[in-house]
Amino acid sequence: MLTGIHVAFIGGDARQLEVIKRCIQLDASVTLIGFDNLESIFTGATKRPLTCDVLRDVDALILPVVGTDDDGYVESIFCSKPLQLLEEHAASLQKHCVVYTGMAKPYLRNLLAAQQISLVELLDRDDVAIYNSIPTVEGALMMAIQHTDITIHGSQAIVLGLGRTGMSMARALHALGARVKVGARRQEHLARIFEMGLTPFHFSELKQQVSNADYIFNTVPQLVLTAEVIAQMPQTAFILDLASKPGGTDFRYAERRGIKALLAPGLPGIVAPKTAGKIMAQTLSRLIAEQTITRGSHHE
Ligand code: NAP
């Protein structure tokens, strides 16, 4: 339970609604900042403006998945007025307050570090990244189906990277009957790919591996699909780049060669905001409860 804990939310999208619901269920005291246009106000939550006073007795501050932009603006689909998190706001937080977000830009990191306020980036956590890989993969399959005229079953599919998203992607493609090759650079990843019944190859062989690819799903956040690699692909290949912006594909060259290549960021929030919200809610409520237990034991 979160009884006696003050949780404040600044902005967000549909995912945040699941987290708010969960905090109310767990009996936290909930303040909503930047939710002016939210019609069904949750009973048990109070809507307030973004002021230093409102933030003064907050124990956990929850920001959207992309915390702030480079100037401190927080996105909210529930509010038409701009929300800007400034130094004075960070300074008004109690020192034990923890700020939670999906991933933080340097602006937010620096703002909180200057006030010695802890920041938790949820998408860095293995558990959240693995749970999130489920809606990500479903979204990727949806896009692959929409943008090609062949079945995934029987296709030649390449997955780049065997991290948290890559592994789920490779497994789903295999289950759908694709012939799956996975590119990785670590020997233990190559061994795991083999163990999964898939075809491993080292990244150094990427150029030679793409010549008969129908689908290429990239999860490596580095430029790996260079012009040199794309030049070896059949023109019918479809590249879906799942890596964070700007992706790992030379999109300019792909377009020049007439190869369809798409960057697909933020799939969980697009294809399954409710599930994505539940993933956040589950982890956040556990972390906030742990945060208070730790604080309690420090005070004993
Ligand atoms: P991850 O677990 O860190 O996996 C990344 C993989 O890339 C690892 O296997 C890593 O291998 C490999 N890699 C990194 N740099 C490399 C390089 N220079 N050459 C070869 N391999 C390299 O990350 P993740 O959670 O799977 O996420 C992957 C990307 O997808 C991230 O950019 C993330 O932000 C993004 N993402 C997007 C969505 C979406 O909706 N599109 C959803 C979730 C995540 P090593 O272990 O050898 O470094």
Side-chain angles (χ1 to χ4, degrees):
M1 294 300 282
L2 301 177
T3 311
I5 299 171
H6 185 183
V7 183
F9 290 81
I10 305 185
D13 55 28
R15 282 173 279 194
Q16 223 65 326
L17 301 182
E18 292 299 319
V19 188
I20 297 169
K21 240 189 265 174
R22 182 65 165 257
C23 287
I24 294 173
Q25 253 172 24
L26 292 171
D27 200 29
S29 141
V30 175
T31 300
L32 304 179
I33 301 164
F35 287 80
D36 309 18
N37 305 339
L38 180 65
E39 287 195 2
S40 67
I41 173 75
F42 295 96
T43 41
T46 322
K47 286 187 196 175
R48 304 287 299 276
L50 176 56
T51 65
C52 296
D53 267 353
V54 171
L55 295 174
R56 252 182 254 289
D57 66 343
V58 167
D59 300 301
L61 180 63
I62 302 181
L63 298 176
V65 172
V66 179
T68 67
D69 70 6
D70 295 325
D71 299 313
Y73 285 98
V74 180
E75 252 193 68
S76 179
I77 62 162
F78 306 107
C79 179
S80 29
K81 286 178 242 149
L83 289 167
Q84 192 182 17
L85 195 66
L86 300 166
E87 198 182 329
E88 68 211 50
H89 298 125
S92 64
L93 293 168
Q94 310 177 81
K95 292 298 173 223
H96 74 255
C97 176
V98 179
V99 177
Y100 297 91
T101 185
M103 53 190 164
K105 300 245 182 197
Y107 176 94
L108 182 62
R109 288 204 195 117
N110 296 337
L111 189 78
L112 298 173
Q115 304 298 332
Q116 293 156 350
I117 302 284
S118 311
L119 171 69
V120 175
E121 294 185 58
L122 292 167
L123 294 181
D124 265 358
R125 295 176 55 93
D126 278 341
D127 54 356
V128 174
I130 292 169
Y131 286 127
N132 251 336
S133 73
I134 302 167
T136 304
V137 166
E138 288 193 14
L141 292 174
M142 176 192 81
M143 291 189 72
I145 291 166
Q146 277 174 344
H147 288 278
T148 59
D149 55 6
I150 57 167
T151 56
I152 291 174
H153 182 277
S155 69
Q156 189 65 248
I158 292 184
V159 176
L160 299 178
L162 192 78
R164 298 158 303 187
T165 310
M167 187 180 284
S168 306
M169 191 73 237
R171 191 179 283 127
L173 290 165
H174 182 57
L176 283 173
R179 282 167 289 151
V180 185
K181 292 198 274 191
V182 185
R185 60 180 175 180
R186 287 207 258 155
Q187 289 305 320
E188 63 268 37
H189 283 173
L190 297 173
R192 179 60 70 197
I193 296 159
F194 174 77
E195 177 276 325
M196 289 166 73
L198 313 177
T199 307
F201 68 87
H202 192 271
F203 253 101
S204 55
E205 298 159 22
L206 181 55
K207 227 169 75 179
Q208 294 79 44
Q209 295 290 336
V210 297
S211 61
N212 62 347
D214 294 309
Y215 296 103
I216 297 109
F217 298 90
N218 176 49
T219 73
V220 175
Q222 301 279 332
L223 181 60
V224 281
L225 292 172
T226 56
E228 242 194 328
V229 174
I230 295 171
Q232 304 304 316
M233 292 178 189
Q235 218 185 350
T236 50
F238 173 61
I239 301 172
L240 191 64
D241 202 330
L242 299 170
S244 48
K245 281 179 195 167
T249 306
D250 185 336
F251 288 100
R252 184 204 60 84
Y253 184 74
E255 190 178 354
R256 189 145 190 217
R257 262 219 69 204
I259 288 180
K260 205 186 271 184
L262 298 176
L263 184 64
L267 287 173
I270 297 168
V271 299
K274 192 158 185 162
T275 306
K278 283 190 169 158
I279 292 168
M280 293 289 174
Q282 200 181 334
T283 310
L284 268 171
S285 53
R286 205 184 54 245
L287 291 178
I288 297 170
E290 281 170 10
Q291 168 199 331
T292 352
I293 293 166
T294 318
R295 183 155 61 94
S297 62
H298 283 322
H299 286 179
E300 277 163 17

